[in-house]
Amino acid sequence: MVGRPDEKSSFFNVFEASVRGQGGEMTGAPDSMNDNSKYRRVDLDVDNEDNDDYLDGETDRYRHQMDRRRRRDAARFAYASAVFASLNTILLGYDGGVMSGAILFIQEDLKITEVQVEVFVGFASFVSLIGSLGGGKMADLIGRKWTMGLASVVFQAGNLIMTLARSFEVLMAGRLLAGIGAGIGFVASVVYIAEISPTISRGTLTSFPEIFVNFGILLGYVSNYAFAGLPINLNWRVMLGVGILPSVFLAIALFIIPESPRWLVMQNRIDDARSVLLKTHESEKEVDEQLAEIMWAANAGGTQNHEEKGAWQNILKPSASLWRMLVTGIGIQCFQQITGIDAMVYYSPRIFKDAGIKDTSSLLAATIAVGITKTSFILVAIILIDKLGRKPLLYVGTIGMTICQFITGASLSLHIRGQMGAALTILSVCGNVAFFSIGIGPICWVLTSEIFPLRLRALATALGSIGNRVCNGLITMSFLSMARSITVGGTFFLYAALSALSVAFVYALVPETKGKSLEEIEMLFRGQSNLRRRGVELGEADHDIVLGK
């Protein structure tokens, strides 16, 4: 077994060194050996029992100190890896934020039509589906880490083409690459963080991509404001060009962060996987147990089925347990969007205008309040997700969204005018985005990255992402049409009904995954008991590999 040096003997080495003189002699040397010695004899044989108690106490203190240090180092390493991986998702957020302002100058500079503007803006959401699907396959082929690197290169190639574009056709070519790169990067980042994170903090760390998306949106808004005063043929190019910076930091990070230990096990690189787990877990015992579970999931639980059929065959003809996983994972992704969050964020000025707010500065202030609320309450979710669990936060979020959307619909339908109506609408909209950020917003990505089997995780997560993007497109492209058809208030009554349906979905199909390893969650969907109680039925040879023999 690959083990640490004996901690007790290490302590005695330190203790022995501490009682040596500069010349290397023991300070307790008998006086008869050197009558002129300036050291007094320390008789370790006197009161031997008290001395042993003292040494045992010092040993325990040393051991606890080392354990605390290792726990702190493991937590820091896992958090740093999650932060670096999330840099990819800043690109997705920045693209959305910066385009809201840059498109105004692009239209004026390149003389493109309103229809071309709609095609240009909406195109990225649909081509990101290709990136999401390809990202899942790529993450299995070349690894999670280098797929993130590839995504960054593709995105920045598209960004550079758009920055230098002199025509609409070239602009669209760049948009195509940027959308594909964004789709690849988001899937790879979410899967990587879930697989690198210790069980105890996986919920918090897997929420990071959602936070960084919102941070990217904020950076996009700041970029719009900062560079709007430049000449018309330059300002939007600088806005897009600034998006290269996160990729520079990500490129450096790729040479620092490790590969996912679960992907390494899939490549039979057991020693490398164990080495990574030692950096993110507190003890060797925990590492060996985790590695045993991963190997079971990759081999005993997967080889007999997954080697016989390809990943796509498993997805298209799923077992009963995989079918439950797919319904839960893809379903939660779709509910995140069909409950209308992006319509509320993108069209909040229209909503507030319908509530009676006419002044442009007041509309802008109300819209900024929505953005600040959405970002800040995600931090609340990060604090609570590994303490309260996924399901309680989903209940709070979905029930809260249902109530707030019903209030918004009632306020707009009853045409409550004046300050009271405006205040009620602003509060209900801000309340809706707050409950979204506490619950289904970040947790949908956490669940999607947790529940699928190791050999299908990347592909299944990509499918969930596709469902998310399709529903996003349907909601954002239909809001104005529905508002004209059934009024804005009626549209929010519809969203409230869909939110109520999401509460039932959470109750019936979403399990609690807090405190469970990824392999235990797989067993949960298979209807089997705790993985550790089953003994992770490894053969003797597998145990030898796990223990480094």
Side-chain angles (χ1 to χ4, degrees), residues 23 236 333 414:
W236 65 270
Q333 289 279 1
L414 295 174

Side-chain angles (χ1 to χ4, degrees), residues 30-353:
D31 291 343
S32 59
M33 295 178 62
N34 186 356
D35 293 336
N36 296 324
S37 172
K38 61 182 177 181
Y39 298 108
R40 283 292 185 190
R41 183 176 189 274
V42 180
D43 191 352
L44 297 179
D45 293 329
V46 177
D47 202 359
N48 213 25
E49 187 173 323
D50 290 342
N51 192 60
D52 286 345
D53 290 342
Y54 169 76
L55 293 177
D56 287 341
E58 288 297 306
T59 302
D60 288 341
R61 276 191 287 275
Y62 175 78
R63 182 180 294 111
H64 291 321
Q65 183 181 10
M66 292 299 103
D67 287 344
R68 283 196 301 272
R69 181 179 299 174
R70 176 161 187 164
R71 187 159 48 246
R72 183 178 65 249
D73 291 345
R76 286 177 177 174
F77 187 86
Y79 271 77
S81 297
V83 167
F84 284 134
S86 297
L87 289 175
N88 233 324
T89 63
I90 287 185
L91 303 176
L92 181 61
Y94 184 84
D95 180 74
V98 79
M99 279 300 169
S100 64
I103 191 61
L104 301 175
F105 306 109
I106 292 172
Q107 183 178 10
E108 184 178 349
D109 185 31
L110 299 185
K111 311 300 181 187
I112 60 178
T113 67
E114 288 287 344
V115 173
Q116 288 174 319
V117 168
E118 291 178 342
V119 171
F120 175 70
V121 172
F123 189 58
S125 294
F126 288 102
V127 297
S128 68
L129 305 181
I130 302 172
S132 296
L133 197 56
K137 184 64 174 177
M138 194 64 63
D140 284 336
L141 289 176
I142 66 174
R144 285 44 165 152
K145 183 173 80 166
W146 296 113
T147 299
M148 289 189 289
L150 175 64
S152 180
V153 170
V154 173
F155 181 90
Q156 291 308 337
N159 205 36
L160 181 61
I161 291 172
M162 287 190 293
T163 301
L164 301 176
R166 299 289 178 181
S167 67
F168 178 72
E169 291 74 19
V170 175
L171 199 66
M172 287 297 294
R175 194 67 170 158
L176 172 65
L177 289 177
I180 292 174
I184 294 173
F186 199 90
V187 169
S189 296
V190 169
V191 172
Y192 174 85
I193 294 172
E195 295 185 347
I196 198 74
S197 302
T199 299
I200 193 172
S201 59
R202 189 177 60 246
T204 296
L205 298 183
T206 316
S207 302
F208 279 17
E210 182 72 14
I211 295 173
F212 277 68
V213 165
N214 284 274
F215 183 61
I217 292 172
L218 178 60
L219 289 179
Y221 292 151
V222 171
S223 179
N224 288 337
Y225 179 81
F227 302 115
L230 295 175
I232 193 69
N233 64 336
L234 182 62
N235 55 8
W236 65 270
R237 300 180 192 276
V238 175
M239 292 173 189
L240 298 182
V242 169
I244 294 174
L245 292 178
S247 293
V248 174
F249 293 113
L250 179 62
I252 297 171
L254 289 177
F255 293 95
I256 301 174
I257 62 175
E259 181 54 86
S260 157
R262 287 168 172 82
W263 183 81
L264 291 171
V265 168
M266 289 171 61
Q267 307 303 308
N268 292 319
R269 294 166 57 182
I270 308 301
D271 290 339
D272 291 339
R274 190 173 190 278
S275 179
V276 174
L277 290 171
L278 283 169
K279 296 178 181 178
T280 59
H281 289 70
E282 297 176 11
S283 67
E284 286 203 19
K285 179 182 178 182
E286 185 180 350
V287 166
D288 290 334
E289 289 177 348
Q290 186 72 72
L291 187 55
E293 292 181 7
I294 295 171
M295 290 180 64
W296 183 89
N299 297 312
T303 301
Q304 57 198 15
N305 293 321
H306 300 309
E307 285 186 355
E308 292 174 4
K309 299 189 292 182
W312 270 111
Q313 287 178 295
N314 278 278
I315 293 291
L316 296 175
K317 296 181 179 179
S319 62
S321 60
L322 181 57
W323 173 252
R324 288 192 292 271
M325 295 175 191
L326 290 169
V327 170
T328 300
I330 298 176
I332 199 73
Q333 289 279 1
C334 292
F335 271 113
Q336 190 210 44
Q337 291 298 324
I338 65 173
T339 47
I341 184 61
D342 277 350
M344 185 167 280
V345 171
Y346 293 149
Y347 299 108
S348 53
R350 165 66 187 270
I351 297 167
F352 296 142
K353 191 173 183 179

Side-chain angles (χ1 to χ4, degrees), residues 383-460:
I383 295 171
L384 298 178
I385 191 170
D386 282 318
K387 294 180 180 179
L388 298 182
R390 285 59 158 157
K391 201 159 183 172
L393 289 181
L394 281 173
Y395 279 136
V396 170
T398 51
I399 292 173
M401 288 170 62
T402 303
I403 295 172
C404 288
Q405 287 172 338
F406 184 85
I407 292 173
T408 303
S411 174
L412 295 172
S413 297
L414 295 174
H415 302 290
I416 302 174
R417 297 300 178 184
Q419 292 185 347
M420 180 180 176
L424 184 60
T425 302
I426 292 173
L427 287 174
S428 61
V429 169
C430 287
N432 183 67
V433 298
F435 282 116
F436 174 86
S437 295
I438 288 175
I440 200 169
I443 293 176
C444 103
W445 294 106
V446 174
L447 282 171
T448 304
S449 66
E450 288 180 327
I451 64 176
F452 294 112
L454 176 58
R455 292 186 178 275
L456 299 177
R457 184 169 297 135
L459 178 58

Side-chain angles (χ1 to χ4, degrees), residues 474-485:
L474 292 175
I475 290 296
T476 55
M477 293 174 67
S478 65
F479 177 82
L480 294 177
S481 298
M482 286 197 299
R484 285 193 297 269
S485 177

